Amino acid sequence: MGFLIVTARSLIWMLLSLLCALMMLSALLSPVWITAATQNAMVDNETVTYTPSLGVYARCGRPIGRNHPICTLMSAKGLGADSEVYPTVWKAATVFLIMGLFVMGMTVCTGLLSCCVQSVFKKSIFTLSGAAQCVAGICFILGVMLHPMAWGVERAHKLCGKESSPFYLGDCSIGTGLFVAVGTTILTFVCACLSVPAETSTSSDKVQDKIYEGQTLICLA
């Protein structure tokens, strides 16, 4: 007979894992990791205010027309783009962030599975998921740390001035995308730690008592 077990701690762990995945996806797609000063441009005889910025794989620049987006991808060729267009360090950062996102996405799936299955190959699904989240957190750390290493490339010089260098922004400032990425990285390790009390709550004596009573849907605070 199958059982569906949901506790407050396991539910919190699952929701935080999902939140981490969504936040890092948002950060990866954000063009606002570093921003320059607000500027004005003439578009169709009108003055338009815009803020140039760079992300891991997206950018915001000078508008060239009403029907042209201000924010676009750095290169449609992706990782195959020229390093002057899309710096190699940012390519590596993108790869690590995507790897971390994939792992976090898998833990979200295993979190949902944990309501019905508590072990895989005689190993706790929570323990395995927590370990995987640590791996995802390490990937996020590498991705976030690699981005500042390219602040001295030509692309960053055009935005932040010639004084910009690795880990020094020059005339630019840190944008919301980088803050979200850093916050998500920290939260990922918090999720990994929460997998332990989530496991404890689903294997507690209260849960076992409910199972002995013949209940198949078990919800506990």
Side-chain angles (χ1 to χ4, degrees):
M1 182 182 297
F3 299 96
L4 184 62
I5 303 172
V6 180
T7 67
R9 280 174 282 183
S10 66
L11 182 60
I12 290 173
W13 173 69
M14 284 188 287
L15 292 177
L16 281 180
S17 299
L18 177 61
L19 178 63
C20 282
L22 294 177
M23 287 176 63
M24 187 54 77
L25 178 62
S26 175
L28 176 62
L29 299 177
S30 172
V32 194
W33 282 50
I34 56 175
T35 61
T38 301
Q39 302 179 19
N40 295 321
M42 292 297 298
V43 178
D44 298 332
N45 296 322
E46 292 184 9
T47 301
V48 176
T49 301
Y50 69 100
T51 303
S53 63
L54 286 174
V56 178
Y57 188 44
R59 65 179 180 86
C60 294
R62 185 181 186 278
I64 59 176
R66 288 184 178 274
N67 298 323
H68 293 79
I70 297 176
C71 299
T72 61
L73 298 179
M74 290 189 195
S75 175
K77 295 181 180 180
L79 299 179
D82 188 272
S83 296
E84 293 184 0
V85 177
Y86 186 23
T88 302
V89 178
W90 288 350
K91 292 179 184 179
T94 301
V95 171
F96 280 116
L97 292 178
I98 290 176
M99 287 172 57
L101 268 173
F102 176 78
V103 175
M104 280 302 296
M106 291 297 295
T107 63
V108 172
C109 295
T110 56
L112 294 173
L113 184 62
S114 68
C115 296
C116 304
V117 180
Q118 278 68 54
S119 63
V120 177
F121 302 116
K122 297 182 179 181
K123 298 290 184 179
S124 169
I125 196 169
F126 294 98
T127 302
L128 294 175
S129 297
Q133 288 176 340
C134 288
V135 174
I138 293 172
C139 290
F140 291 157
I141 289 176
L142 293 173
V144 171
M145 291 299 294
L146 282 171
H147 191 270
M149 292 178 63
W151 289 354
V153 300
E154 184 61 28
R155 178 136 213 166
H157 283 165
K158 293 179 180 178
L159 184 72
C160 307
K162 293 295 183 180
E163 294 183 356
S164 63
S165 59
F167 298 96
Y168 177 69
L169 278 175
D171 297 331
C172 290
S173 58
I174 297 176
T176 55
L178 184 52
F179 283 120
V180 171
V182 172
T184 303
T185 301
I186 297 172
L187 191 58
T188 298
F189 286 103
V190 173
C191 286
C193 295
L194 289 178
S195 65
V196 176
E199 177 190 9
T200 303
S201 66
T202 56
S203 58
S204 64
D205 292 338
K206 291 182 179 180
V207 172
Q208 297 303 318
D209 291 341
K210 297 291 184 180
I211 293 176
Y212 292 147
E213 292 172 4
Q215 297 186 23
T216 55
L217 175 58
I218 302 170
C219 298
L220 295 174

